[in-house]
Amino acid sequence: QVQLVESGGGLVQPGGSLRLSCAVFGSIFSINNYNWYRQAPGKERELAARITASGITKYADSVKGRFTVSRDNAKNILYLEMGSLKPEDTAVYYCNANTGPAFGDYDYWGQGTQVTVSS
């Protein structure tokens, strides 16, 4: 079992920055990928950023160069640093941990946090 607890989020002006955090508890050894998803109103949930257990990162084209995903292995915290924010980044952001096929390919989700980019 894995539990994810998110913090951060809020209201920020266009061009501003924000950092999301996700504390990870439980069977961390089983996690293959750590992901940040987001879901804007009326849209499907989409993958914004990923960091693998080995530290390889991947970004959606829409956030590349503006967002940075990282992980503090000592504290078991996942981060998403968001910069040059745009109104279209407004969404509920969810952290996700996927265990991969060796551990049943389970998905665990954080509670979600609202990010609103508006002047």
Side-chain angles (χ1 to χ4, degrees):
Q1 287 286 333
V2 174
Q3 296 81 40
L4 306 172
V5 180
E6 296 183 44
S7 59
L11 174 64
V12 62
Q13 292 187 342
S17 300
L18 208 58
R19 186 177 79 166
L20 305 182
S21 300
C22 177
V24 186
F25 304 94
S27 303
I28 294 170
F29 63 87
S30 68
I31 298 171
N32 194 34
N33 292 323
Y34 297 85
N35 304 299
W36 285 100
Y37 283 83
R38 65 184 185 179
Q39 187 166 19
K43 294 189 177 181
E44 293 188 356
R45 191 172 297 189
E46 65 172 359
L47 178 66
R50 167 178 294 160
I51 184 166
T52 69
S54 59
I56 298 170
T57 58
K58 175 183 176 180
Y59 298 93
D61 288 342
S62 58
V63 308
K64 203 172 292 183
R66 300 187 299 119
F67 288 14
T68 301
V69 60
S70 62
R71 187 162 59 96
D72 185 326
N73 292 331
K75 298 180 179 179
N76 295 323
I77 299 177
L78 178 69
Y79 297 104
L80 184 67
E81 299 273 1
M82 304 183 292
S84 301
L85 283 163
K86 306 174 182 180
E88 49 263 44
D89 294 316
T90 295
V92 178
Y93 284 72
Y94 299 90
C95 62
N96 163 275
N98 175 267
T99 61
F103 292 95
D105 201 18
Y106 289 118
D107 276 303
Y108 297 94
W109 295 91
Q111 77 275 20
T113 187
Q114 177 70 47
V115 172
T116 302
V117 184
S118 175
S119 54

